[in-house]
Amino acid sequence: MKTKILIVEDDPHILLGLEEVLKSEDYEVTSCSRGDEAMAAVLKFQPTLIVLDVMLPGASGYDICKQIRAKKISSPILMLTAKGQEIDKVVGLDLGADDYVTKPFGVRELLARIQALLRRSGAVNAGPQPAEEQPFKIGSATIDPKTFQLKRGRTTEELTAKELKLLQVFHAHAGEVLSRDKLLNEAWGYNYYGTTRTLDQVIVQLRKKLGDQGSEPVHLLTIHGVGYKLAA
């Protein structure tokens, strides 16, 4: 069965190019060009991964991203944006996007980002070790890599591919100080060219999901000038 990718893009030239490239890589591709039609397309097509433009007629990519996550759909979302400001990326990540590609982008970069997201979400066979598929605990939370869920008491949180990967890295290195560069390389890959602000924003979300409140986290600790560590 082919991996299914939904493209939500209103520029006909970019859309056509994306469709041709992804189909040539043997993906099953469908598309829509309006934001207010995107949610229906997601529910009908049930894509493995979503390529989502930020600026769309009808509804913005941010609105669509929020709707997708509200429906508990955990398919990786790769957002396309012509904006370069870091704050725009932070907003998208806060709403549940997994990665960004800024226009104009190269075909090789786009394909690499898609492959990385698919591997981390378990959608393609990247040879994961059985231990990486087993549930594990951080504090009172139980994380299940197979379902991308974090359960804490009666609360169930959906995890993005990036969030799950970071939790797995922290769990494997509990008590160790991990640099921001190492965490970015582990979760985003060596081809990631963004800033550490992206990582910091995901850490904020993970702290909330782990139950940390206020400015004194008890699980994911900030090591100023270096990075983070998971309290052993």
Side-chain angles (χ1 to χ4, degrees):
M1 184 179 297
K2 291 184 178 181
T3 299
K4 299 193 293 184
I5 296 180
L6 169 66
I7 306 169
V8 187
E9 169 63 64
D10 65 322
D11 185 312
H13 299 292
I14 294 177
L15 179 57
L16 179 60
L18 287 173
E19 287 179 329
E20 290 181 348
V21 167
L22 293 174
K23 287 178 180 178
S24 72
E25 294 292 319
D26 207 31
Y27 293 113
E28 182 180 347
V29 181
T30 194
S31 63
C32 71
S33 58
R34 293 186 56 87
D36 49 8
E37 298 172 353
M39 197 65 231
V42 170
L43 295 174
K44 180 179 180 180
F45 188 58
Q46 296 185 349
T48 312
L49 179 141
I50 302 160
V51 178
L52 176 62
D53 191 22
V54 171
M55 303 300 291
L56 293 163
S60 74
Y62 298 137
D63 293 332
I64 298 161
C65 189
K66 187 176 181 179
Q67 293 170 20
I68 290 171
R69 296 309 185 217
K71 291 284 188 181
K72 305 299 183 183
I73 297 169
S74 60
S75 302
I77 298 174
L78 176 65
M79 298 197 83
L80 306 178
T81 178
K83 298 181 179 181
Q85 293 90 348
E86 185 65 22
I87 186 62
D88 296 313
K89 298 182 180 182
V90 170
V91 169
L93 291 166
D94 190 33
L95 294 174
D98 295 280
D99 203 356
Y100 265 86
V101 172
T102 302
K103 300 175 183 176
F105 51 81
V107 171
R108 292 180 66 184
E109 178 191 4
L110 179 75
L111 291 174
R113 296 290 185 93
I114 287 173
Q115 279 291 322
L117 287 177
L118 291 173
R119 283 196 301 271
R120 290 173 194 135
S121 69
V124 297
N125 183 12
Q129 298 301 313
E132 293 181 347
E133 300 177 0
Q134 299 301 314
F136 59 94
K137 291 185 70 69
I138 292 179
S140 63
T142 300
I143 297 96
D144 189 343
K146 291 184 178 180
T147 62
F148 281 73
Q149 290 182 332
L150 180 155
K151 295 184 178 181
R152 180 171 44 82
R154 296 183 179 180
T155 301
T156 298
E157 301 278 5
E158 301 295 328
L159 297 171
T160 67
K162 295 278 190 304
E163 290 173 340
L164 174 60
K165 181 60 178 179
L166 284 172
L167 289 176
Q168 288 175 318
V169 173
F170 278 121
H171 182 256
H173 299 276
E176 297 180 29
V177 178
L178 303 176
S179 70
R180 284 179 168 82
D181 284 344
K182 177 176 176 59
L183 292 169
L184 284 169
N185 289 338
E186 290 284 352
W188 277 264
Y190 288 91
N191 292 323
Y192 178 70
Y193 299 108
T195 72
T196 57
R197 176 65 177 138
T198 301
L199 169 65
D200 296 338
Q201 186 63 25
V202 177
I203 294 293
V204 169
Q205 297 305 312
L206 283 175
R207 284 171 172 166
K208 292 178 181 177
K209 293 181 179 183
L210 288 168
D212 284 351
Q213 302 295 328
S215 59
E216 296 296 331
V218 298
H219 299 100
L220 301 180
L221 308 181
T222 300
I223 309 301
H224 294 289
V226 183
Y228 298 94
K229 77 171 181 178
L230 172 64

